[in-house]
Amino acid sequence: MNERAGSWLPKLQEVGERLAEEWVSARRPQPSGGDVPQPHELRASDADRERIAQVLQDAHADGRLMLDELEERLGVLYSARTLGELAELTTDLLPPDQQPLNLDGRPVSAIFKQEKRGGRWVVPAELAVTAMFGTTKLDFRDAILQNRRIIINATLVFGGLEIHVPEGLEVIRVAKDKTVRLTKQPTEPGAPVVEVRTTNFAGEVKVKEPPRRKRRR
């Protein structure tokens, strides 16, 4: 064999990702034409504006933005209404995985590797996740939920899905018409729910919760 050991792995990952994309597309429901806003259409908060402002100020401090550019972008920043308008202000300042806002609602696939989505990201109402001989990590601790009930369609083949949640977010798993609550800590009535629908072969779903707060006596 002329190929070096391990040189086949990127090719196998590429084939696996293509198959996963085709599988997800086949299972994805057709758009219903509802009025749920897209991630870039969601209203921005003051906290989101401050995140962007910090990136702009850091870029000015190290010379990536001139003073007039900083002032121009800050003007746009404080008049912006949507997350999409904010996200455009930093696209040329940081690589994609370091952006202060992540509006990527595409499926998450981990084929012979680990993939993570976290930080300040918009979780779409329905998200497809694939893990084949790999692990997908979803961190909801600083996320913006597009809906009160998030549905994750997870395809796990000798792979894992790891979910990090903040207080007050419930996670349930639905498989073969059986529903299991994965979060241990209690939640308030009407709390947001993440529903994980799994199609798996030797796959595993783990939920990481924050430490329990000690009650004062």
Side-chain angles (χ1 to χ4, degrees):
M1 294 180 64
N2 295 326
E3 289 186 295
R4 292 179 300 173
S7 62
W8 51 270
L9 187 56
K11 298 178 182 178
L12 188 58
Q13 288 176 338
E14 182 180 352
V15 172
E17 289 174 355
R18 190 182 309 120
L19 291 174
E21 184 177 349
E22 293 175 358
W23 170 256
V24 168
S25 297
R27 298 175 65 205
R28 185 180 298 129
Q30 295 299 317
S32 59
D35 56 357
V36 177
Q38 297 300 307
H40 68 277
E41 298 173 329
L42 293 175
R43 290 283 180 148
S45 69
D46 288 340
D48 293 320
R49 292 186 181 89
E50 291 306 315
R51 289 171 184 271
I52 302 299
Q54 186 61 57
V55 173
L56 297 179
Q57 291 166 0
D58 290 344
H60 170 62
D62 62 22
R64 285 176 291 151
L65 283 181
M66 298 297 100
L67 180 59
D68 59 334
E69 293 176 307
L70 173 64
E71 293 175 345
E72 179 182 356
R73 295 198 189 195
L74 287 176
V76 175
L77 169 67
Y78 290 112
S79 63
R81 295 183 178 182
T82 66
L83 294 179
E85 293 175 285
L86 295 187
E88 291 179 357
L89 295 172
T90 61
T91 54
D92 61 342
L93 299 177
L94 294 171
D97 61 342
Q98 296 180 25
Q99 289 293 324
L101 285 175
N102 185 349
L103 309 184
D104 184 2
R106 293 177 300 175
V108 184
S109 298
I111 314 295
F112 289 94
K113 60 182 178 180
Q114 181 182 115
E115 284 292 332
K116 180 180 179 180
R117 190 163 294 178
R120 189 65 168 169
W121 66 294
V122 177
V123 185
E126 190 161 351
L127 178 66
V129 170
T130 303
M132 295 183 179
F133 298 93
T135 302
T136 299
K137 294 186 178 182
L138 303 179
D139 192 339
F140 289 88
R141 288 174 292 185
D142 200 22
I144 304 169
L145 304 184
Q146 196 174 8
N147 203 347
R148 297 287 293 178
R149 191 177 194 88
I150 300 297
I151 296 175
I152 298 177
N153 293 310
T155 301
L156 310 175
V157 179
F158 290 100
L161 169 60
E162 185 176 299
I163 303 174
H164 292 255
V165 299
E167 290 185 359
L169 180 60
E170 183 178 12
V171 180
I172 61 175
R173 180 177 182 177
V174 180
K176 296 181 180 179
D177 298 325
K178 182 180 179 181
T179 301
V180 178
R181 190 176 191 270
L182 299 182
T183 41
K184 305 300 182 183
Q185 298 186 24
T187 54
E188 297 293 333
V193 176
V194 174
E195 178 181 324
V196 183
R197 300 177 181 176
T198 54
T199 300
N200 72 90
F201 183 79
E204 185 178 19
V205 179
K206 293 182 179 180
V207 175
K208 302 290 185 179
E209 300 180 75
R212 291 177 180 267
R213 293 183 179 180
K214 294 183 179 180
R215 294 183 178 179
R216 294 182 179 179
R217 296 182 177 178

